[in-house]
Amino acid sequence: MAGTSRMDRLVKVLGGEENLPPKKPQAQASAPSNTNVNPTEDVADPSSNTKTQDGEDSAVEWWNLQPQLHLHEPDPTAPGPATTPTTPHMADGDSHYNFDPRRGEPAPLGMGYCPFAAVVKYPYKFVKADLRQPLATAFFDASKIWNREWDLHYIWSEHYPTAKPVLFIPKYQLQGLLDDINHAFPNAHLKITDELREDGLVISFDDIDLRHLRPVVLGHSTSRDQIDYWTDHLPLPESVSEDMGSRTHEAFRAKMELAQEIAKNKSKAAKKKRQEEVVIKRQGMAREMKRAQKYLGMCPGPQSSESLEADLANLSLSPIDITNIMPYPFGQDVIFIAITEIGIATLDTRDLKTTAPGPTGTEWQKAIRARHIRVAEYTYLVNKDFVQGCPDKFEFGRSEFVGLDKVVQTTASCFKYPYSGSPPPDETEEKRNIVLVGHDISQDIKYLHSIGYNPYNSSSVVDTLDTATMFRVCNKDPNARALGSILYEYDLTGWHLHNAGNDAVYTLWALLAMCVTQSSQRDSDDAAKQMEEKLKQRTVEAIERAKEKVEDDMEGWEEGGVNLDEEKPMYGPKRPGEKVFYTSGGAILDV
């Protein structure tokens, strides 16, 4: 209908202007849900002033379409979460959209962050075609993805100017979404691959040593309108007054460009840019190892958190003597806490200051306090599907049986004085800095969330360390290794792995072993030889894999030795004088 605007066509479809749904107030305007809009198509930004082909302001058209898009109710038979997306409710004064009191607090170190705009478009960018729409209908369309609970963070900086704040969610929350999708669609097999990490789906800001360039808390959201209101009412970023040419600022801008590219309908992230991000990520992993060594007195540095992030690349350190106490102050006087489902291991660095670590930290292992908490109502359950669980094989004390209604309270107590210890009668209560430790820690955090506890609600948590990541640094390995494999690497015997209490202790063992071993072998000839041998071994293995692939690619291109002149089996009688033709595979060719 040439000459007819989209608004006119909408009015005609609805039967007149009197049937139009009410317009949203401009202050609360938000982008439409994905019910009838394919995110892979280029759509105008509501905040822009560009015109449509019909000459209308694109933002006005978006607001007019918004009520129409909410008219479609979700299919109750569709797979997916049991919760029904809530219809946006606009209250007078927007009092229920007040900012989260934690807004602006710095996000903890040691975590990966996912651009929320890319998460919203996930099925249309990263899912194969046959599953794309069913999956999107079940988990994304009709604002389902927006109305899911998210711990939102944001960056809005003039060092990388954007029209609106760039939103992020923690990596473990994206993993939780993928787990829910895989449960509803067993054939989906969705996961966060190394390639997606390189493209910017998961970004680490640990190597950014300026706090104002890292994500900060926006709040815990439960609806799209809440998110829109928060982002529309954030104060503008502060003006830039410092030099923007440093390596830190360059790294920051590279990360933000990745975040923007991965969220675009057609990603243009080049291979070179992905490789640069891989290098930045690996540098961030190396910093994680350096922070752990500082907490344990193996590296010099003041006590402030900013100094713990300082770049020590040009600092030459002597190897530590494992038979003596540590030569440097223990950074920030921290307590390490490792939690698995639901084992708790606590290591207070104050207990290590007058003790030599010994080989692989075996003397420090004696200071670990261990707990194994079992939910009384679930004692009959044993994990047998993926690993052989052994809940009754706790090696470091007696298991504690706790009612389901007391699990969160018991877990939270481990993050408060006396931190799973037994204080002397004359000791006063004291708030301490906590470093959360885990092996693939996103899964541990996801479990804590599943029982209703968020460790990051505690202001005492100053950092997060992942032993899976740290071992990759020690081994210069692109792939993560299992906890048992790491123990074996350091000649440590772990009895009854997959008992939650034991695993928590073994995670701290692995942390100590890696830090002690690497610090004691700094610049040593033996360490250099070991790394050279590993390089040779990996080169041989890579050549062998490449050879096997080439051989596989070369198979199947011949005719397979089929003799076209020999007699072929016939199906049905052959007519006199009839000549039969065959395909190269031996099948009868009907000519």
Side-chain angles (χ1 to χ4, degrees), residues 76-89:
T77 64
T83 56
T84 302
T86 58
T87 301
H89 174 67

Side-chain angles (χ1 to χ4, degrees), residues 12-280:
K12 184 174 181 179
V13 169
L14 293 178
E17 292 186 6
E18 63 274 10
N19 295 323
L20 280 173
K23 294 182 180 180
K24 282 182 121 178
Q26 187 66 25
Q28 298 173 5
S30 64
S33 68
N34 294 332
T35 306
N36 292 329
V37 179
N38 186 343
T40 60
E41 298 174 358
D42 291 331
V43 185
D45 187 342
S47 63
S48 69
N49 293 321
T50 57
K51 304 289 182 179
T52 65
Q53 292 180 353
D54 298 320
E56 299 173 345
D57 186 284
S58 59
V60 174
E61 182 170 297
W62 275 68
W63 308 148
N64 289 340
L65 286 176
Q66 177 71 6
Q68 177 192 5
L69 294 173
H70 278 290
L71 295 176
H72 299 278
E73 294 295 329
D75 182 3
T77 64
T83 56
T84 302
T86 58
T87 301
H89 174 67
M90 309 304 288
D92 294 338
D94 301 315
S95 59
H96 60 310
Y97 292 148
N98 287 341
F99 278 113
D100 192 301
R102 298 172 299 157
R103 189 199 77 182
E105 292 183 3
L109 294 169
M111 292 181 61
Y113 292 91
C114 307
F116 188 56
V119 174
V120 170
K121 297 178 180 179
Y122 186 91
Y124 299 98
K125 287 179 62 67
F126 310 118
V127 176
K128 54 186 180 182
D130 59 329
L131 279 176
R132 185 175 301 152
Q133 193 53 56
L135 187 153
T137 301
F139 286 90
F140 289 81
D141 293 350
S143 286
K144 292 186 183 77
I145 190 64
W146 294 82
N147 296 341
R148 190 180 174 99
E149 293 191 29
W150 300 112
D151 290 322
L152 289 173
H153 300 72
Y154 74 93
I155 290 178
W156 204 8
S157 170
E158 290 197 5
H159 289 285
Y160 188 86
T162 53
K164 287 189 175 183
V166 180
L167 301 183
F168 297 87
I169 63 169
K171 175 232 176 184
Y172 67 84
Q173 288 194 333
L174 173 59
Q175 185 61 56
L177 171 65
L178 299 187
D179 290 345
D180 289 345
I181 293 174
N182 288 332
H183 180 74
F185 296 87
N187 294 329
H189 304 300
L190 302 182
K191 60 182 180 179
I192 303 174
T193 63
D194 289 342
E195 183 178 359
L196 289 178
R197 292 172 184 271
E198 293 172 7
D199 284 343
L201 189 60
V202 179
I203 300 175
S204 171
F205 290 87
D206 287 357
D207 57 311
I208 303 297
D209 54 11
L210 297 174
R211 294 179 65 176
H212 65 279
L213 297 183
R214 297 201 297 260
V216 297
V217 173
L218 179 60
H220 185 80
S221 71
T222 56
S223 74
R224 179 170 190 161
D225 284 326
Q226 185 182 39
I227 298 173
D228 288 340
Y229 183 85
W230 283 350
T231 54
D232 287 343
H233 291 79
L234 278 175
L236 292 173
E238 296 181 0
S239 298
V240 176
S241 59
E242 58 188 1
D243 177 27
M244 295 179 60
S246 68
R247 291 178 58 186
T248 295
H249 292 93
E250 291 175 3
F252 169 73
R253 284 191 289 267
K255 293 174 185 293
M256 296 302 292
E257 287 176 7
L258 274 178
Q260 297 290 82
E261 287 290 342
I262 195 70
K264 288 182 179 179
N265 295 328
K266 295 180 179 179
S267 178
K268 299 178 181 178
K271 182 178 180 180
K272 180 180 179 181
K273 184 178 292 184
R274 290 200 304 267
Q275 183 60 28
E276 289 175 353
E277 177 62 15
V278 168
V279 172
I280 292 173

Side-chain angles (χ1 to χ4, degrees), residues 1 57-58 81 108 122 160 261 263 277 354 377 380-381 427-428 454 459 511 557-558 561 566:
M1 293 184 290
D57 186 284
S58 59
Y122 186 91
Y160 188 86
E261 287 290 342
E277 177 62 15
T354 59
E377 290 86 344
Y380 65 93
L381 296 175
E427 186 169 297
T428 58
N454 183 357
S459 59
L511 172 73
W557 296 101
E558 297 85 3
E566 65 179 329

Side-chain angles (χ1 to χ4, degrees), residues 323-365:
T323 64
N324 285 323
I325 63 174
M326 293 299 95
Y328 306 107
F330 285 64
Q332 296 199 76
D333 193 32
V334 305
I335 296 177
F336 294 108
I337 298 181
I339 292 188
T340 56
E341 325 175 351
I342 180 172
I344 302 164
T346 305
L347 179 61
D348 190 338
T349 55
R350 288 182 183 176
D351 297 332
L352 311 180
K353 293 182 179 180
T354 59
T355 305
T360 64
T362 49
E363 293 302 313
W364 282 357
Q365 291 177 6

Side-chain angles (χ1 to χ4, degrees), residues 438-452:
H439 191 78
D440 190 8
I441 196 168
S442 62
Q443 295 300 314
D444 299 325
I445 295 172
K446 178 189 172 186
Y447 174 78
L448 291 177
H449 275 260
S450 73
I451 65 174

